[in-house]
Amino acid sequence: TKAEETGSRLTTDILSSLCEAIVANIFENFDAIECQSLVLVSKTFRRWVESYQLPFNARTFKRWNPDSTDGEHILFYYSRKKVPFQCYLVGLDTPHPLEYLSLPSGPDKNFSLFPNGGSTSGTSLRTSFQKIRLNPMTLKVKTDDYTFSSTTGGPLQQIWGDGTDSYVFKAVPYAVARDCVGLGSTRGQACIDLRGTPFAIASSFGPRGFAASGSSSSDNDNQVVELRGGGYCGGI
C-alpha cells in the first residue's frame, strides 16, 4: 500500500542518515578507535566512506586526485589506529602506480654491505637506499626494489658446489647483512634508520644460509636497527 511504501522509504532514509552519521563520527574520532572497525564499515557502507576520499594506496589516491603528479602525498593506514603518513607515489600517469617510503635519515644510514671474500670473487658491494618500496596495506617492504638506490663496487660473483655454479650480485637487498667468508663470519653489514617516518621495525632477524651467523641491535623504539651477519654463504 501507499502507506507501507512511505513507511519503508522513511525507514531506509533513517537508516541511511544513521549510517552516514556513524561513518562521520568514526572519522571525527578516528584517533580513539581501532581501524579494524573502519575496515568493516568501509565494506558495508562503501559509498559513504569513499565520500571522505582518504586514500590508502596509490590507486585510490589517483582515482580521487586524477590530476596529481608523482611526488610526496598523504596516504592513510587503515588496519590500526588512523595513521596518515607521507608516501612518495610513482607512476600516477599509468594504470599501476607504486608507493615508496622516503627515508629522511638518508642513504648513509640505510644501506646493505656484502663484502668480498671466501667463496666470492670481485669487488665488495654496498647498496644505499633513499626510498624503499612499501605496500601501504600490509606495511611490508619489498627489499629488492632498487628504484631509489645507488650501489658502489661489484659485481660480486658467489661460487658454490664444485665451483661450476655461481651467481653474480650487482646490488644488495635492503636490510640484508651477508658474506661468504666462512663459518662464524659477520663481516656483512646493514643499517636501517626509519627516523623521520611514523614507522618502526616489527620483524625479527635470524641467521639464514649455510654456516650462517649474525646479530642485530635496535634503538629509538626499533626505528634504528643495525645488522651484522655472514657465513659460507649466509647472513641475517
Side-chain angles (χ1 to χ4, degrees):
T1 64
K2 185 173 183 180
E4 289 174 337
E5 291 177 358
T6 301
S8 176
R9 186 168 60 253
L10 287 173
T11 300
T12 300
D13 291 342
I14 291 171
L15 287 175
S16 297
S17 299
L18 177 61
C19 291
E20 189 168 4
I22 289 172
V23 174
N25 183 66
I26 285 174
F27 280 100
E28 289 173 2
N29 301 282
F30 210 3
D31 289 332
I33 61 174
E34 293 297 323
C35 267
Q36 189 61 36
S37 299
L38 175 63
V39 173
L40 295 175
V41 171
S42 69
K43 291 179 180 177
T44 308
F45 310 118
R46 183 174 179 179
R47 70 186 179 92
W48 287 291
V49 174
E50 288 199 347
S51 70
Y52 288 87
Q53 298 187 357
L54 297 182
F56 51 86
N57 61 14
R59 290 190 183 188
T60 54
F61 183 90
K62 176 183 176 179
R63 182 165 76 241
W64 294 328
N65 303 275
D67 296 326
S68 293
T69 58
D70 292 3
E72 299 285 356
H73 298 287
I74 299 297
L75 298 182
F76 290 82
Y77 180 49
Y78 273 30
S79 295
R80 299 179 185 270
K81 290 184 179 181
K82 178 188 177 185
V83 180
F85 67 98
Q86 189 166 280
C87 204
Y88 194 91
L89 306 184
V90 176
L92 289 175
D93 59 345
T94 72
H96 304 289
L98 300 176
E99 307 88 355
Y100 289 84
L101 180 67
S102 295
L103 302 170
S105 57
D108 290 341
K109 296 183 178 180
N110 289 277
F111 68 87
S112 298
L113 173 67
F114 185 177
N116 184 31
S119 63
T120 61
S121 62
T123 307
S124 298
L125 279 172
R126 174 177 168 136
T127 301
S128 303
F129 295 82
Q130 296 85 35
K131 308 177 194 297
I132 50 178
R133 174 80 171 92
L134 178 71
N135 183 327
M137 306 290 290
T138 64
L139 297 187
K140 291 183 177 180
V141 174
K142 190 175 188 302
T143 58
D144 61 350
D145 187 309
Y146 304 111
T147 304
F148 294 99
S149 71
S150 59
T151 299
T152 57
L156 190 62
Q157 184 178 33
Q158 175 183 330
I159 303 171
W160 63 86
D162 60 1
T164 59
D165 295 323
S166 66
Y167 184 83
V168 176
F169 289 85
K170 296 182 179 180
V172 193
Y174 188 67
V176 171
R178 64 176 286 135
D179 71 29
C180 296
V181 174
L183 177 65
S185 175
T186 56
R187 288 179 53 195
Q189 299 178 40
C191 186
I192 304 165
D193 192 336
L194 301 180
R195 286 177 295 183
T197 78
F199 302 112
I201 297 297
S203 303
S204 58
F205 297 91
R208 295 178 297 172
F210 183 72
S213 59
S215 62
S216 64
S217 60
S218 61
D219 196 5
N220 206 69
D221 293 328
N222 279 349
Q223 282 199 303
V224 178
V225 179
E226 293 185 358
L227 305 172
R228 287 187 174 272
Y232 196 72
C233 297
I236 187 173

